[in-house]
Amino acid sequence: MIQSLADNVHMPIAVFVSNGLIKGIDLVKIVVKSILLLENARIQVMRMTSDGATTNRNMWSWLGISAKSHNFKNSFENPFDNQCSVYVFSDALHLMKTIRNRLYTKKALKIHPTKSFIKWKVYEDLYTHDSKNITRVYPKID
């Protein structure tokens, strides 16, 4: 799917069907081919977004993307124009859902080795307290 930064334009560019999981290297081939076709049609590709599924993370690896603090890299060379980069983003809403689900399942989440755990109980207490009020502070928490 493409989406314009400046205009209200968004549309699918392709749909692919696979029998089972697709390999990260195969996604790289699809992404590179898509960028080449779009750029050839004078549509500048500046970024791409995907969820953090294993296949997508594998694709990021093949593209040289790394979220490791000692090796952070969030872009790769545009295959059409080596003077430009394509920036890679993980879908923020999907990340929030993943964090919520992990907190719910594990009841706690550690996001930094020197910081304390984030606990699901905080969200339960917030929901319980907020539900008692007519004017809710967090109306969409449930």
Side-chain angles (χ1 to χ4, degrees):
M1 171 177 264
I2 61 171
Q3 183 172 350
S4 172
L5 290 174
D7 296 314
N8 189 19
V9 174
H10 54 281
M11 63 187 194
I13 59 167
V15 176
F16 299 92
V17 178
S18 68
N19 185 10
L21 292 177
I22 187 167
K23 295 179 181 175
I25 189 64
D26 294 326
L27 278 178
V28 170
K29 293 173 187 175
I30 292 168
V31 165
V32 168
K33 181 72 172 182
S34 298
I35 291 170
L36 290 171
L37 291 169
L38 288 165
E39 292 274 355
N40 196 47
R42 302 179 58 117
I43 298 171
Q44 185 181 19
V45 178
M46 302 170 68
R47 71 178 185 100
M48 63 180 253
T49 305
S50 65
D51 67 20
T54 303
T55 303
N56 291 333
R57 288 195 314 267
N58 188 270
M59 172 189 61
W60 297 344
S61 252
W62 279 100
L63 292 169
I65 304 303
S66 173
K68 306 285 185 200
S69 60
H70 65 281
N71 191 29
F72 182 79
K73 188 169 183 252
N74 66 339
S75 67
F76 61 94
E77 184 179 289
N78 186 319
F80 187 82
D81 180 358
N82 63 2
Q83 300 299 310
C84 296
S85 294
V86 176
Y87 291 87
V88 177
F89 296 89
S90 191
D91 178 20
L93 294 176
H94 190 267
L95 289 173
M96 296 300 290
K97 180 180 168 188
T98 302
I99 290 168
R100 180 205 62 199
N101 292 346
R102 175 126 184 210
L103 265 172
Y104 178 74
T105 304
K106 304 286 184 186
K107 303 301 180 205
L109 178 64
K110 185 122 178 149
I111 60 170
H112 192 276
T114 63
K115 306 286 183 186
S116 60
F117 280 88
I118 299 171
K119 297 185 174 135
W120 180 254
K121 179 91 171 97
V122 172
Y123 294 95
E124 287 178 338
D125 292 346
L126 174 65
Y127 175 77
T128 301
H129 178 72
D130 200 46
S131 296
K132 294 176 184 174
N133 298 316
I134 293 172
T135 306
R136 295 184 60 187
V137 177
Y138 299 100
K140 295 187 178 188
I141 198 169
D142 50 349

